[in-house]
Amino acid sequence: MGVLLEVIELHKSFGGVTAVDGVSFDLQEGHLLAMIGPNGAGKSTCFNLINGQLRPDRGKIRILGKDITGMKPRHVWRLGVGRTFQVASTFLSMTVVENVQMVFISSHRKLNSMTKKVSNLYRDEAMELLKLVGVEEQWDRPCGILAYGDLKRVELAMALANNPKLLLMDEPTAGMGLKERLKLMELTARIAKDRNIGVLFTEHDMDVVFSHADFIIVLNYGKLIARGTPTEVRDNEEVKEIYLGSCATGT
């Protein structure tokens, strides 16, 4: 496995507030890297810098050695960076399979084919992904009537339709019950290993983080204060004091 993502001395300020302050880390292919920290630590800003929604003041971002710093989101996406959001982002009036087909259509630059019936385009490929994430039986239902856990699985299928090398997952289990959270992350981990996808995710549920992350980085006030395996981060005194508190010590 090689280095997939390199973040080098990333800086971003908004007015007089420093949101990201010299953050550096890397992510290997096939690994799950959790980015944790209290609210306002800079996690969302880091995500938005990586996928091109924001441009850094200083620093570099590389995917498989290619400098993507400051690229627009659509260009970053075409290089193989997928993303899911804290609030599931789907076309609620369209069916489950149509949502995934839309990503295939965009990925293959066939939006001009929208004059044709969408059901004729990439239907088999979309159904394969729905089967992979476990919602193939709901293929013909509008996304707007799905249970939230199923909606998150559809969003995962949509993120996979672009055949990503890197998957950014912002609070992937937000709004889900404990069993649903663990199942979704088990599924994500299995897909990442099978397809050699690097996954960078933020998460407030420490059970999810310590159960599924290969490595963890911890941010606080825009600075990276710790990195390592789940065991190393759990035992880090600064992390215990600043972020995990009593959760880390079991009290």
Side-chain angles (χ1 to χ4, degrees):
M1 293 183 184
V3 175
L4 170 62
L5 170 68
E6 297 173 273
V7 173
I8 305 165
E9 284 294 317
L10 215 54
H11 292 259
K12 183 65 181 179
S13 296
F14 300 96
V17 178
T18 300
V20 176
D21 190 0
V23 169
S24 297
F25 63 89
D26 59 52
L27 170 61
Q28 300 279 324
E29 295 172 317
H31 283 179
L32 273 71
L33 174 64
M35 177 186 290
I36 66 173
N39 290 334
K43 303 184 299 295
S44 293
T45 302
C46 275
F47 264 50
N48 290 334
L49 291 168
I50 292 169
N51 87 331
Q53 289 182 289
L54 293 173
R55 187 179 184 90
D57 299 328
R58 301 196 307 278
K60 294 290 183 183
I61 304 163
R62 298 188 183 120
I63 300 289
L64 292 174
K66 181 179 178 62
D67 189 349
I68 66 165
T69 311
M71 280 189 181
K72 293 181 179 179
R74 66 178 181 273
H75 296 145
V76 175
W77 180 72
R78 291 201 178 280
L79 287 173
V81 179
R83 184 169 181 178
T84 67
F85 295 85
Q86 183 174 351
V87 178
S89 180
T90 61
F91 299 101
L92 297 180
S93 63
M94 297 175 66
T95 66
V96 168
V97 72
E98 286 171 346
N99 268 269
V100 182
Q101 285 175 274
M102 282 293 295
V103 183
F104 277 111
I105 290 168
S106 179
S107 176
H108 290 84
R109 301 175 186 263
K110 291 190 176 181
L111 287 176
N112 60 344
S113 299
M114 289 302 294
T115 54
K116 302 177 183 179
K117 192 171 178 62
V118 70
S119 61
N120 296 328
L121 297 169
Y122 304 105
R123 169 71 174 275
D124 292 342
E125 294 89 339
M127 288 299 296
E128 285 181 13
L129 285 181
L130 294 179
K131 184 176 182 179
L132 179 66
V133 302
V135 290
E136 72 276 16
E137 293 183 359
Q138 308 210 55
W139 68 273
D140 60 345
R141 302 185 71 195
C143 281
I145 65 172
L146 294 185
Y148 193 68
D150 290 334
L151 199 61
K152 297 291 280 188
R153 287 174 179 259
V154 174
E155 187 187 37
L156 177 58
M158 293 171 68
L160 293 171
N162 193 39
N163 194 27
K165 305 177 185 73
L166 170 65
L167 188 56
L168 305 175
M169 303 183 76
D170 190 1
E171 297 281 349
T173 69
M176 302 174 71
L178 178 58
K179 288 184 178 179
E180 286 182 316
R181 292 177 207 165
L182 295 175
K183 285 182 179 179
L184 180 65
M185 291 311 296
E186 286 169 4
L187 172 65
T188 301
R190 186 170 69 250
I191 292 171
K193 304 300 182 188
D194 290 346
R195 298 190 171 208
N196 210 28
I197 299 170
V199 178
L200 175 63
F201 70 100
T202 64
E203 182 58 62
H204 283 295
D205 187 325
M206 293 299 102
D207 287 332
V208 169
V209 170
F210 286 102
S211 295
H212 297 289
D214 295 301
F215 297 95
I216 300 170
I217 55 177
V218 186
L219 301 185
N220 192 47
Y221 293 113
K223 291 182 178 290
L224 195 152
I225 63 167
R227 73 182 82 196
T229 65
T231 299
E232 290 169 340
V233 169
R234 189 189 295 274
D235 293 340
N236 183 290
E237 293 300 324
E238 188 175 9
V239 173
K240 290 179 184 180
E241 180 180 353
I242 292 176
Y243 181 60
L244 296 175
S246 61
C247 294
T249 61
T251 60

